[in-house]
Amino acid sequence: MSPSPPTLDAWLRQGPFTLALSAGFFGFFAHCGMLEALLEAGLVPAAVTGASAGALVGGLWAAGLDTPAIGAELQSLRRADFWDPWPGLGLLRGRLFRRHLERALPTRTFEACRAPFAASVFDVLARTTRVLATGELAPAIQASCSVPVLFHPTFIGRRPYVDGGVRDRPALAGIEPGVRVLSHYLVPHDPRDRERTPPARPGLVALVLRDLPRVHPFGLAAGPVALAVARDATRRALSLPLAPVLTLNAGGARAV
């Protein structure tokens, strides 16, 4: 008789792990709730990677903000804080978002972060994913969050970058083979992509929370609910037997 698999909690305690926070349109509330549940259980990532919404939460935490402060920052967010329409390759210029981000970040550079952090971005000219892990945090996070059509591309030096989720939705491009990874993967709202999960790789466990409240620029009020739902579902997930993909419905029940 084969032994029972460990729980997710027990597996995470077996050694250092990297937390990969996926892209997901305005999914930063859910990432914050999930991370809060991990930290309250004493499960601290050794490193963090992020794309788009994941880069925002991962970057804020790595820069020194604790999850209650990240949650308060997100829940205070109003559309006027980032809504700056301007002619260009996107609806929003991005300057308001950058100012808000710079005010929130307690640390200015990757090198000063409390844990290694990497942000995936999409290089528009080379049409490929780049991983930014050195230099200034704010432009890297902004670039990773520059959703095409919604935001103008973000220039770093002379190169334009957009949302890291264009080619690296799970934010795995910056993780070396052999590293233990917990992937918090936000399911796309597009019905055609509902069954997508991170690519399988040795040492990776994906936590997929389905049917989270949908948050968008005109529906920010759903953000605090998404945060709470993700936090509570993650608390339940920690006691589940380990599997390569752990899928839970928003209410916390394990999906079949």
Side-chain angles (χ1 to χ4, degrees):
M1 187 174 180
S2 59
S4 299
T7 63
L8 175 60
D9 182 287
W11 181 78
L12 290 171
R13 295 184 192 280
Q14 288 175 7
F17 67 93
T18 291
L19 179 63
L21 301 174
S22 80
F25 191 61
F26 280 72
F28 33 76
F29 290 96
H31 281 320
C32 182
M34 184 282 314
L35 180 56
E36 185 174 344
L38 287 185
L39 297 177
E40 73 180 13
L43 299 165
V44 181
V48 182
T49 64
S52 195
L56 178 60
V57 172
L60 288 173
W61 179 78
L65 283 186
D66 292 326
T67 47
I70 298 173
E73 185 70 34
L74 296 179
Q75 292 178 65
S76 70
L77 187 66
R78 299 295 178 264
R79 188 159 53 91
D81 294 331
F82 60 87
W83 203 258
D84 55 355
W86 193 264
L89 297 177
L91 174 62
L92 305 179
R93 193 175 192 178
R95 286 193 176 181
L96 285 180
F97 175 68
R98 176 68 164 270
R99 290 173 190 164
H100 199 81
L101 181 59
E102 288 176 340
R103 285 196 297 268
L105 283 167
T107 298
R108 299 301 175 188
T109 65
F110 283 89
E111 291 79 4
C113 286
R114 60 176 157 191
F117 168 63
S120 291
V121 299
F122 184 74
D123 185 323
V124 176
L125 299 180
R127 300 190 63 78
T128 191
T129 296
R130 305 286 189 198
V131 178
L132 304 181
T134 60
E136 292 187 43
L137 278 170
I141 295 172
Q142 180 186 6
S144 191
C145 292
S146 294
V147 180
V149 181
L150 181 61
F151 283 103
H152 294 193
T154 296
F155 279 78
I156 301 178
R158 295 185 177 182
R159 300 198 71 84
Y161 298 99
V162 295
D163 194 307
V166 170
R167 288 277 178 85
D168 185 28
R169 184 179 180 86
L172 298 176
I175 303 177
E176 296 293 331
V179 173
R180 286 162 28 94
V181 180
L182 175 63
S183 166
H184 185 223
Y185 186 79
L186 298 176
V187 178
H189 288 292
D190 188 332
R192 296 170 296 181
D193 295 327
R194 293 279 292 169
E195 301 307 315
R196 286 173 59 186
T197 57
R201 58 182 277 173
L204 182 143
V205 173
L207 176 60
V208 180
L209 305 179
R210 294 191 179 278
D211 302 320
L212 290 164
R214 190 168 187 176
V215 187
H216 53 83
F218 296 90
L220 291 172
V225 181
L227 189 155
V229 168
R231 180 188 60 222
D232 293 345
T234 302
R235 288 169 176 164
R236 297 183 181 95
L238 290 172
S239 65
L240 292 177
L242 192 67
V245 180
L246 290 170
T247 304
L248 282 80
N249 293 321
R254 189 165 186 176
V256 178

